[in-house]
Amino acid sequence: LTLSQALPHLPGSDVPPPGFEAASSPLGVPPATTGSTAFVLQESPDPDQPLVAYDPCRPIHYVVRPDLAPPGTDQLIQQSVAAVSAATGLQFVYDGLTSEAPSKEREAYQPDRYGKKWAPVLIAWSTPEEAPDLAGRVAGTGGSSSIQVRGEPYVYITGQVQLDAPALTETLTFPDGPALVRAIMMHELAHVVGLDHVNDPAQLMYEENSGQLDFAAGDRAGLALLGTGKCVPRV
């Protein structure tokens, strides 16, 4: 989604009024980088702007669709969000439960459902039947949408995570099952804030989990970088 210029907010607009909750400085501070280069950023729509990130001067709101959620996983989601927040310095705010279904064509602005602000990040328990991207060995997916106002960098505005409820319900029965499900959630939330897969199986962002239960040095270096995005109050 690209805007050629800052748009005034008009009735029926497909963007919210700019600057919702925008502060004058970042709300948190990313940790010092580990120095590792074992990370890959999501592809930018602008080759001259390799880093696309969330605005650190405002919180990232998120909601959860609990349909089919295995018992006890609300705490795992909270722990996963906290881990990504600590690794980036980005601040997250839980807005509660939602009935919104995941969709590849999800609207970034849904004023009737969420008010006159960008839609919160959606974390949705789902099935391969509802979300075909979860077919096969895929336990979850994650990503974000970006927007650009003229003269400003691209910035992420919202995203979503889809979690395969039947598969992860089974995973919870394994030794270290809850820790493994939390690691999958952390992996997908790292996609949401801007990390891509890497070829190093020692990193949590390796495409198939190789036993990693926490972010490794490369993951943390990339996440710390993603916490240094520019504040864009005009979005």
Side-chain angles (χ1 to χ4, degrees):
L1 182 62
T2 303
L3 296 181
S4 60
Q5 57 186 1
L7 298 175
H9 185 74
L10 301 172
S13 174
D14 59 358
V15 297
F20 178 74
E21 292 186 322
S24 59
S25 60
L27 304 180
V29 179
T33 180
T34 65
S36 173
T37 58
F39 66 87
V40 177
L41 300 178
Q42 296 274 6
E43 184 177 358
S44 170
D46 180 356
D48 294 327
Q49 184 201 328
L51 177 69
V52 181
Y54 277 92
D55 180 345
C57 290
R58 64 182 97 190
I60 301 172
H61 290 261
Y62 73 100
V63 292
V64 176
R65 190 186 76 158
D67 304 36
L68 306 176
T73 48
D74 51 344
Q75 182 179 16
L76 298 180
I77 289 176
Q78 293 168 13
Q79 293 170 352
S80 303
V81 170
V84 173
S85 178
T88 58
L90 298 170
Q91 303 298 296
F92 288 75
V93 173
Y94 176 50
D95 285 354
L97 303 179
T98 184
S99 61
E100 183 190 0
S103 170
K104 294 184 75 170
E105 290 78 37
R106 184 179 187 238
E107 294 290 338
Y109 181 44
Q110 302 179 46
D112 292 342
R113 185 187 294 270
Y114 297 117
K116 292 183 178 181
K117 61 183 181 181
W118 295 112
V121 171
L122 171 65
I123 301 175
W125 293 94
S126 188
T127 65
E129 290 72 29
E130 179 184 51
D133 286 347
L134 295 175
R137 294 172 55 85
V138 179
T141 64
S144 285
S145 302
S146 62
I147 196 171
Q148 185 186 40
V149 171
R150 179 177 290 175
E152 300 285 2
Y154 279 91
V155 61
Y156 290 130
I157 49 174
T158 190
Q160 64 179 325
V161 170
Q162 299 174 342
L163 299 169
D164 188 330
L168 294 179
T169 297
E170 180 180 359
T171 301
L172 284 168
T173 68
F174 299 168
D176 288 331
L180 184 55
V181 170
R182 182 173 57 240
I184 290 168
M185 293 174 174
M186 290 166 60
H187 175 108
E188 302 309 335
L189 286 166
H191 281 319
V192 167
V193 297
L195 283 187
D196 209 339
H197 289 139
V198 296
N199 294 323
D200 180 359
Q203 309 300 321
L204 191 59
M205 294 312 293
Y206 189 63
E207 187 166 9
E208 290 198 24
N209 189 284
S210 56
Q212 290 292 324
L213 299 178
D214 197 0
F215 293 129
D219 305 313
R220 292 187 181 281
L223 291 167
L225 180 62
L226 287 161
T228 66
K230 184 179 177 182
C231 299
V232 189
R234 292 170 59 204
V235 167

mmCIF file of all heavy atoms in Angstrom, residues 164-183:
data_model
loop_
_atom_site.group_PDB
_atom_site.id
_atom_site.type_symbol
_atom_site.label_atom_id
_atom_site.label_comp_id
_atom_site.label_asym_id
_atom_site.label_seq_id
_atom_site.Cartn_x
_atom_site.Cartn_y
_atom_site.Cartn_z
ATOM 1 N N ASP A 164 -1.430 -22.647 13.303
ATOM 2 C CA ASP A 164 -2.131 -23.890 12.979
ATOM 3 C C ASP A 164 -2.573 -24.562 14.276
ATOM 4 O O ASP A 164 -1.787 -25.239 14.947
ATOM 5 C CB ASP A 164 -1.207 -24.804 12.179
ATOM 6 C CG ASP A 164 -1.920 -26.033 11.635
ATOM 7 O OD1 ASP A 164 -2.884 -26.487 12.268
ATOM 8 O OD2 ASP A 164 -1.499 -26.547 10.586
ATOM 9 N N ALA A 165 -3.843 -24.378 14.641
ATOM 10 C CA ALA A 165 -4.333 -24.869 15.933
ATOM 11 C C ALA A 165 -4.224 -26.392 16.066
ATOM 12 O O ALA A 165 -3.739 -26.884 17.092
ATOM 13 C CB ALA A 165 -5.767 -24.397 16.157
ATOM 14 N N PRO A 166 -4.658 -27.191 15.079
ATOM 15 C CA PRO A 166 -4.537 -28.648 15.247
ATOM 16 C C PRO A 166 -3.087 -29.109 15.392
ATOM 17 O O PRO A 166 -2.769 -29.940 16.253
ATOM 18 C CB PRO A 166 -5.184 -29.196 13.967
ATOM 19 C CG PRO A 166 -6.104 -28.116 13.504
ATOM 20 C CD PRO A 166 -5.413 -26.841 13.861
ATOM 21 N N ALA A 167 -2.197 -28.568 14.566
ATOM 22 C CA ALA A 167 -0.796 -28.990 14.621
ATOM 23 C C ALA A 167 -0.142 -28.587 15.936
ATOM 24 O O ALA A 167 0.600 -29.366 16.546
ATOM 25 C CB ALA A 167 -0.024 -28.393 13.444
ATOM 26 N N LEU A 168 -0.417 -27.366 16.398
ATOM 27 C CA LEU A 168 0.230 -26.895 17.619
ATOM 28 C C LEU A 168 -0.393 -27.515 18.873
ATOM 29 O O LEU A 168 0.278 -27.639 19.900
ATOM 30 C CB LEU A 168 0.208 -25.373 17.674
ATOM 31 C CG LEU A 168 1.049 -24.703 16.580
ATOM 32 C CD1 LEU A 168 0.972 -23.187 16.686
ATOM 33 C CD2 LEU A 168 2.500 -25.161 16.641
ATOM 34 N N THR A 169 -1.652 -27.913 18.781
ATOM 35 C CA THR A 169 -2.246 -28.677 19.877
ATOM 36 C C THR A 169 -1.479 -29.986 20.066
ATOM 37 O O THR A 169 -1.192 -30.397 21.203
ATOM 38 C CB THR A 169 -3.729 -28.962 19.592
ATOM 39 O OG1 THR A 169 -4.436 -27.722 19.515
ATOM 40 C CG2 THR A 169 -4.342 -29.826 20.686
ATOM 41 N N GLU A 170 -1.121 -30.622 18.966
ATOM 42 C CA GLU A 170 -0.318 -31.850 19.034
ATOM 43 C C GLU A 170 1.085 -31.546 19.542
ATOM 44 O O GLU A 170 1.641 -32.283 20.374
ATOM 45 C CB GLU A 170 -0.259 -32.511 17.664
ATOM 46 C CG GLU A 170 0.550 -33.802 17.646
ATOM 47 C CD GLU A 170 0.606 -34.450 16.278
ATOM 48 O OE1 GLU A 170 -0.006 -33.906 15.327
ATOM 49 O OE2 GLU A 170 1.264 -35.489 16.153
ATOM 50 N N THR A 171 1.683 -30.464 19.078
ATOM 51 C CA THR A 171 3.035 -30.100 19.506
ATOM 52 C C THR A 171 3.111 -29.915 21.017
ATOM 53 O O THR A 171 4.117 -30.242 21.648
ATOM 54 C CB THR A 171 3.489 -28.817 18.792
ATOM 55 O OG1 THR A 171 3.463 -29.029 17.380
ATOM 56 C CG2 THR A 171 4.901 -28.424 19.210
ATOM 57 N N LEU A 172 2.050 -29.406 21.605
ATOM 58 C CA LEU A 172 2.036 -29.162 23.051
ATOM 59 C C LEU A 172 2.195 -30.452 23.858
ATOM 60 O O LEU A 172 2.569 -30.404 25.030
ATOM 61 C CB LEU A 172 0.753 -28.453 23.456
ATOM 62 C CG LEU A 172 0.667 -26.963 23.118
ATOM 63 C CD1 LEU A 172 -0.753 -26.445 23.305
ATOM 64 C CD2 LEU A 172 1.648 -26.152 23.965
ATOM 65 N N THR A 173 1.918 -31.601 23.248
ATOM 66 C CA THR A 173 2.049 -32.871 23.963
ATOM 67 C C THR A 173 3.476 -33.398 23.945
ATOM 68 O O THR A 173 3.783 -34.373 24.637
ATOM 69 C CB THR A 173 1.116 -33.934 23.349
ATOM 70 O OG1 THR A 173 1.566 -34.278 22.022
ATOM 71 C CG2 THR A 173 -0.316 -33.424 23.274
ATOM 72 N N PHE A 174 4.361 -32.782 23.156
ATOM 73 C CA PHE A 174 5.749 -33.239 23.054
ATOM 74 C C PHE A 174 6.527 -32.826 24.298
ATOM 75 O O PHE A 174 6.133 -31.888 25.002
ATOM 76 C CB PHE A 174 6.446 -32.629 21.836
ATOM 77 C CG PHE A 174 5.827 -32.976 20.501
ATOM 78 C CD1 PHE A 174 6.223 -32.287 19.364
ATOM 79 C CD2 PHE A 174 4.863 -33.966 20.371
ATOM 80 C CE1 PHE A 174 5.675 -32.581 18.127
ATOM 81 C CE2 PHE A 174 4.303 -34.272 19.136
ATOM 82 C CZ PHE A 174 4.707 -33.577 18.021
ATOM 83 N N PRO A 175 7.667 -33.495 24.555
ATOM 84 C CA PRO A 175 8.600 -32.937 25.546
ATOM 85 C C PRO A 175 8.998 -31.523 25.110
ATOM 86 O O PRO A 175 9.267 -31.291 23.926
ATOM 87 C CB PRO A 175 9.791 -33.905 25.482
ATOM 88 C CG PRO A 175 9.219 -35.180 24.952
ATOM 89 C CD PRO A 175 8.133 -34.775 23.996
ATOM 90 N N ASP A 176 9.013 -30.576 26.028
ATOM 91 C CA ASP A 176 9.274 -29.166 25.715
ATOM 92 C C ASP A 176 8.214 -28.580 24.782
ATOM 93 O O ASP A 176 8.454 -27.565 24.120
ATOM 94 C CB ASP A 176 10.661 -28.961 25.087
ATOM 95 C CG ASP A 176 11.793 -29.144 26.077
ATOM 96 O OD1 ASP A 176 11.570 -28.891 27.280
ATOM 97 O OD2 ASP A 176 12.880 -29.548 25.648
ATOM 98 N N GLY A 177 7.032 -29.195 24.753
ATOM 99 C CA GLY A 177 5.981 -28.724 23.837
ATOM 100 C C GLY A 177 5.635 -27.262 24.004
ATOM 101 O O GLY A 177 5.639 -26.503 23.022
ATOM 102 N N PRO A 178 5.342 -26.794 25.214
ATOM 103 C CA PRO A 178 5.015 -25.371 25.365
ATOM 104 C C PRO A 178 6.155 -24.452 24.932
ATOM 105 O O PRO A 178 5.916 -23.420 24.291
ATOM 106 C CB PRO A 178 4.724 -25.240 26.865
ATOM 107 C CG PRO A 178 4.244 -26.597 27.265
ATOM 108 C CD PRO A 178 5.074 -27.550 26.452
ATOM 109 N N ALA A 179 7.395 -24.816 25.241
ATOM 110 C CA ALA A 179 8.535 -23.990 24.834
ATOM 111 C C ALA A 179 8.673 -23.970 23.315
ATOM 112 O O ALA A 179 9.032 -22.947 22.720
ATOM 113 C CB ALA A 179 9.819 -24.508 25.476
ATOM 114 N N LEU A 180 8.381 -25.100 22.677
ATOM 115 C CA LEU A 180 8.474 -25.157 21.221
ATOM 116 C C LEU A 180 7.379 -24.322 20.570
ATOM 117 O O LEU A 180 7.634 -23.598 19.593
ATOM 118 C CB LEU A 180 8.384 -26.612 20.752
ATOM 119 C CG LEU A 180 8.550 -26.866 19.253
ATOM 120 C CD1 LEU A 180 9.869 -26.273 18.744
ATOM 121 C CD2 LEU A 180 8.481 -28.353 18.948
ATOM 122 N N VAL A 181 6.167 -24.385 21.109
ATOM 123 C CA VAL A 181 5.081 -23.560 20.568
ATOM 124 C C VAL A 181 5.406 -22.081 20.769
ATOM 125 O O VAL A 181 5.188 -21.261 19.863
ATOM 126 C CB VAL A 181 3.746 -23.929 21.234
ATOM 127 C CG1 VAL A 181 2.661 -22.913 20.868
ATOM 128 C CG2 VAL A 181 3.311 -25.330 20.802
ATOM 129 N N ARG A 182 5.951 -21.722 21.927
ATOM 130 C CA ARG A 182 6.356 -20.330 22.156
ATOM 131 C C ARG A 182 7.419 -19.912 21.149
ATOM 132 O O ARG A 182 7.374 -18.791 20.613
ATOM 133 C CB ARG A 182 6.872 -20.156 23.576
ATOM 134 C CG ARG A 182 7.275 -18.710 23.891
ATOM 135 C CD ARG A 182 7.615 -18.519 25.357
ATOM 136 N NE ARG A 182 8.670 -19.423 25.790
ATOM 137 C CZ ARG A 182 8.537 -20.332 26.750
ATOM 138 N NH1 ARG A 182 7.376 -20.479 27.375
ATOM 139 N NH2 ARG A 182 9.539 -21.109 27.083
ATOM 140 N N ALA A 183 8.360 -20.790 20.838
ATOM 141 C CA ALA A 183 9.400 -20.468 19.857
ATOM 142 C C ALA A 183 8.799 -20.243 18.473
ATOM 143 O O ALA A 183 9.241 -19.354 17.728
ATOM 144 C CB ALA A 183 10.438 -21.585 19.810
#
